[in-house]
Amino acid sequence: MTQWTSAVGAAQLARLLSSQQERPAGAGTKRPPAYRALADGIRLLVLEGRVPVAARLPAERELALSLSVSRTTVAAAYEALRAEGFLESRRGAGSWTAVPAGNPLPARGLEPLPPEALGSVIDLGCAALPAPEPWLTRAVQGALEELPPYAHTHGDYPAGLPALRSMLAERYTARGIPTMPEQIMVTTGAMGAIDAICHLFAGRGERIAVESPSYANILQLMRAAGARLVPVAMADGLAGWDLDRWRQVLRDSAPRLGYVVADFHNPTGALADEDQRRVLVDAARSAGTVLVVDETMSELHLDDDASAMPRPVCGFDPAGSTVITVGSASKAFWAGMRIGWVRAAPDVIRSLVAARAYADLGTPVLEQLAVNWLLSTGGWERAVEIRRTQARENRDALVAAVRRELPEWEFSVPRGGLTLWVRTGGLSGSRLAEMGERVGVRVPSGPRFGVDGAFEGYVRLPFTVGGAVADEAAVRLAAAARLVETGAAGGSETPRTFVA
């Protein structure tokens, strides 16, 4: 059985290599041999996630022709990559990318910081903001007023409270997506929704295509479920999806599920346009792949109004056979409000509800009543507007501070969402996370958001702090970067940067 899950063509790899910006050599520095430069270029593409891990590389002769180099150069580069653990080969199966053993995914950076540490550490780990008061308090008070009739029941609503299911269906219908309450299941957050979907559609060993990078906690959830993740690189900058790569993966790997974040992607902030949404749904339908679309960031447009947003992905699947949509109150309202939902065809909802008897049984009634109160009174819109204002101000403050303190770091400023995806000028994201904790700033490293160790040269910065705190966070990140550059972490076995 082959070990690769996708393939990179010779022409495609040549284009990716040519897009790399060569760093100027210092005075008296010799250029590396051609094979070494090629090996370093491929290794960098893997570590940045632009070439997925477990991607089959072109044959030596094919790549040599595309690069206009000798086959000997390509053979020597492949051999160097094999020796370093970035390439594996087997006769008859070809060669595919890998990440060396001993480079585990960083364990720190995304778990909530203990409350007792908040005074001394700036937490850039979780992309979550404080509750938009007074709307949380009002919602809970409203829920308590609505609770008595439900208290006289068993309190077990596996599909969700009928009132909330109807309200969510009405909101989809108002967005131009006709929806019945029978197409809605309320869950315990978006994580609970995606966990239920994965268990229903993708048993152990099934392939799931995921954006690369993607939301770290979802990747870990899928790994724990035994799925085989097939990474699909995002387009450059904030251009959304690379549809040629999606078509190739859907055709070659035939994944059972595909997981995408079309609206202000986590972590890059990219927004897929309507043409991309239409084409991806058509490609998934042709391949028999079910698309799980995460809409948890869809209301966090910071520079445009709602009328400028593309249609929901499910709007391009009128039959309801290809797209399953997941939403949540956690990002748009408050992470402590663990209410999510699934919108899908009625038969899919029935199957999810039936399977729930062996999982969490149902979602807390009081929190459902609180969300329903917000949605039915106009409180939701007012609370989300507070959230947008907070996120916009924090984003602008963080962008200004990072540009001032770390001008060599590269990023594109997203028009929405909660995160900034930053290329760290060649420094190891894992080492930056380690050094950051020493100087009092907590940041998740890029490999948390990739498959098998990709994106070592990145960190994710959320819009969770602003003003003077954003300034101080950037100062501490700059201090952490200096520690990494000087090798202060110690240990010669760990490189201070990922670039040769």
Side-chain angles (χ1 to χ4, degrees):
M1 183 171 125
T2 59
Q3 301 298 309
W4 50 273
T5 56
S6 62
V8 179
Q12 179 187 3
L13 183 55
R15 286 195 302 271
L16 290 170
L17 288 165
S18 66
S19 70
Q20 293 176 332
Q21 294 182 350
E22 184 176 348
R23 294 187 168 198
T29 302
K30 294 182 179 180
R31 288 185 176 275
Y35 85 89
R36 183 68 263 173
L38 176 56
D40 289 346
I42 294 173
R43 177 167 59 89
L44 183 58
L45 289 172
V46 173
L47 288 170
E48 289 183 340
R50 299 178 70 194
V51 169
V53 175
R56 188 176 187 270
L57 294 187
E60 296 169 1
R61 188 184 302 277
E62 294 174 3
L63 185 57
L65 287 172
S66 292
L67 294 174
S68 299
V69 300
S70 70
R71 183 178 177 181
T72 302
T73 296
V74 177
Y78 278 15
E79 182 57 36
L81 290 168
R82 276 190 288 270
E84 296 163 3
F86 286 92
L87 196 68
E88 296 181 11
S89 305
R90 190 169 66 242
R91 186 180 298 276
S95 300
W96 56 91
T97 56
V99 169
N103 286 6
L105 291 172
R108 61 173 71 89
L110 286 175
E111 301 79 8
L113 193 66
E116 62 270 16
L118 290 175
S120 59
V121 178
I122 299 174
D123 187 8
L124 298 181
C126 294
L129 288 162
E133 289 287 32
W135 295 104
L136 174 61
T137 298
R138 292 182 183 178
V140 173
Q141 291 171 341
L144 288 171
E145 293 175 2
E146 298 291 335
L147 182 61
Y150 294 93
H152 293 292
T153 73
H154 49 63
D156 186 5
Y157 297 89
L161 294 184
L164 181 55
R165 296 176 74 196
S166 295
M167 181 60 64
L168 292 168
E170 289 176 13
R171 289 177 66 83
Y172 278 105
T173 300
R175 294 167 68 189
I177 313 297
T179 303
M180 304 178 295
E182 291 80 9
Q183 291 178 262
I184 301 291
M185 181 177 84
V186 182
T187 63
T188 308
M191 292 287 289
I194 294 172
D195 182 57
I197 294 166
C198 288
H199 279 89
L200 180 63
F201 282 91
R204 185 166 293 276
E206 292 275 7
R207 288 187 175 93
I208 301 179
V210 295
E211 296 152 327
S212 183
S214 187
Y215 180 36
N217 288 337
I218 294 296
L219 295 181
Q220 185 55 37
L221 181 155
M222 292 174 175
R223 291 187 189 100
R228 297 174 61 190
L229 302 184
V230 183
V232 187
M234 298 288 288
D236 291 337
L238 297 177
W241 300 319
D242 186 326
L243 291 172
D244 288 338
R245 295 187 186 186
W246 269 101
R247 289 191 192 96
Q248 182 181 19
V249 166
L250 293 174
R251 181 182 65 247
D252 295 346
S253 298
R256 185 71 182 91
L257 291 178
Y259 170 75
V260 295
V261 185
D263 302 298
F264 309 121
H265 173 260
N266 187 353
T268 68
L271 176 66
D273 62 34
E274 289 207 0
D275 286 341
Q276 289 176 319
R277 296 170 191 231
R278 180 184 299 106
V279 171
L280 184 57
V281 171
D282 289 345
R285 184 183 298 115
S286 297
T289 298
V290 174
L291 282 181
V292 180
V293 179
D294 186 332
E295 283 193 339
T296 53
M297 296 284 188
S298 64
E299 296 193 64
L300 294 177
H301 43 86
L302 306 184
D303 295 337
D304 304 302
D305 60 25
S307 63
M309 289 288 291
R311 277 190 295 164
V313 178
C314 57
F316 300 97
D317 180 39
S321 60
T322 300
V323 176
I324 297 176
T325 303
V326 172
S328 171
S330 296
K331 297 298 184 184
F333 185 73
W334 184 47
M337 187 68 76
R338 304 305 305 160
I339 298 295
W341 53 86
V342 178
R343 181 201 180 273
D347 61 318
V348 172
I349 295 297
R350 286 193 294 270
S351 297
L352 289 170
V353 171
R356 198 168 194 182
Y358 309 102
D360 64 352
L361 297 178
T363 304
V365 169
L366 187 62
E367 292 186 23
Q368 292 187 73
L369 289 172
V371 172
N372 190 62
W373 184 91
L374 287 166
L375 295 174
S376 61
T377 62
W380 178 269
E381 284 72 21
R382 296 182 184 181
V384 171
E385 189 54 45
I386 292 173
R387 172 67 73 242
R388 292 192 193 108
T389 300
Q390 290 175 318
R392 185 185 305 114
E393 293 175 351
N394 288 355
R395 179 198 62 183
D396 295 346
L398 185 65
V399 164
V402 173
R403 283 177 171 166
R404 181 179 62 252
E405 300 295 335
L406 293 151
E408 68 278 13
W409 286 18
E410 302 171 31
F411 53 86
S412 298
V413 181
R415 292 166 24 217
L418 288 172
T419 57
L420 198 66
W421 185 237
V422 181
R423 189 174 181 179
T424 57
L427 298 180
S428 161
S430 299
R431 296 292 298 283
L432 280 166
E434 180 184 356
M435 292 299 99
E437 297 208 13
R438 289 194 185 186
V439 299
V441 60
R442 201 160 180 261
V443 58
S445 62
R448 293 297 305 271
F449 305 90
V451 175
D452 295 332
F455 302 107
E456 184 58 69
Y458 290 80
V459 293
R460 188 194 73 172
L461 305 180
F463 312 144
T464 52
V465 297
V469 180
D471 292 339
E472 180 61 21
V475 168
R476 296 185 187 187
L477 284 171
R482 288 192 295 271
L483 290 175
V484 174
E485 288 173 340
T486 58
S492 59
E493 73 282 357
T494 305
R496 72 179 176 92
T497 69
F498 72 92
V499 178

